[in-house]
Amino acid sequence: MPRLSIAVPQAGQAVALAELFRPAVDDVWMEIGFGTGEHLLAQAQQHPKVGFIGCEPYLNGVAAMLSGLADARLDNVRFFADDARRLLPALPSGSIGRLFILFPDPWPKSRHHGRRLINVDTIGYFARILREGGELRVASDHGGYVRWVLEHLTRDRSFCWSARRADDWRQRPEDAPPTRYEEKAMARGQPCMHLSFRRTSR
């Protein structure tokens, strides 16, 4: 656990990604709120040359992910067991190739909207850390949250919504395994929406 964990950065400290992954990786992808890690682990298995950073503040989820790492004998995953918003300022600009935010808490009550992960401040961080052409994937089963995400990201010139037809957001990407939360939503008959945004030219 100490070898794989990323410490909370001190103020002004930058995370040296090259030192996190030995041997060196071709790209670095990040998942914010990985739950029990099923999506993160599957992606890490599919892409052994990619380094993965997973952020999850709940220790039960971290423990489940670590168990999966040990079972699969994967060494291309590092984790941050805290609020991702404490890590974002310390990541180098243009260092992330793909960012996953899958089924975050929608905070459905209007008075709680300020707690939503995707907001003006975090979008600025996402734009800074994603490389040009990098991808931001967001999934949710909450229609109000999806509208919120589209409203905030489509008016930010740093991002371009990739959808060209309805199936582009109604269907999960072919290379993405379902999360446990998505499976529960589908069992309830709740439709899930999958949004993909590209980082535009700087």
Side-chain angles (χ1 to χ4, degrees):
M1 182 169 175
R3 185 177 66 85
L4 301 181
S5 66
I6 302 172
V8 176
Q10 300 297 317
Q13 178 186 5
V15 175
L17 295 184
E19 296 179 6
L20 286 182
F21 299 101
R22 300 287 179 86
V25 294
D26 296 337
D27 201 358
V28 178
W29 297 357
M30 182 176 182
E31 182 170 349
I32 297 178
F34 59 73
T36 54
E38 60 275 2
H39 174 270
L40 181 65
L41 293 170
Q43 290 284 0
Q45 286 180 306
Q46 292 176 25
H47 304 281
K49 298 294 186 180
V50 174
F52 288 83
I53 296 174
C55 300
E56 177 56 62
Y58 297 106
L59 291 182
N60 286 345
V62 172
M65 191 272 292
L66 286 174
S67 177
L69 279 179
D71 291 343
R73 298 184 179 181
L74 294 172
D75 195 37
N76 59 332
V77 178
R78 303 295 181 265
F79 70 93
F80 184 69
D82 207 317
D83 189 326
R85 286 167 287 199
R86 302 185 70 183
L87 179 63
L88 291 172
L91 293 174
S93 297
S95 61
I96 304 298
R98 188 175 290 179
L99 177 60
F100 304 95
I101 303 175
L102 308 179
F103 300 93
D105 191 331
W107 293 104
K109 295 181 180 179
S110 297
R111 67 177 182 271
H112 294 156
H113 284 182
R115 301 184 184 184
R116 288 177 165 177
L117 174 62
I118 295 178
N119 56 51
V120 173
D121 292 335
T122 55
I123 289 172
Y125 284 123
F126 301 158
R128 185 183 65 79
I129 66 173
L130 277 168
R131 60 173 169 77
E132 185 176 320
E135 184 181 13
L136 168 60
R137 290 185 182 181
V138 182
S140 180
D141 65 333
H142 189 277
Y145 194 78
V146 170
R147 288 191 293 273
W148 169 280
V149 171
L150 286 171
E151 176 185 349
H152 282 72
L153 281 165
T154 56
R155 72 185 181 194
D156 190 303
R157 294 184 179 180
S158 297
F159 292 96
C160 176
W161 188 22
S162 302
R164 295 294 178 267
R165 55 196 178 108
D167 282 351
D168 291 341
W169 54 268
R170 287 176 178 167
Q171 295 182 0
R172 182 179 356 99
E174 292 182 359
D175 64 343
T179 68
R180 184 174 301 181
Y181 191 93
E182 181 180 359
E183 289 177 335
K184 290 180 178 179
M186 293 174 65
R188 297 194 305 268
Q190 186 73 28
C192 299
M193 288 147 280
H194 302 267
L195 309 177
S196 174
F197 302 88
R198 289 287 177 186
R199 178 65 169 93
T200 57
S201 300
R202 297 182 183 277

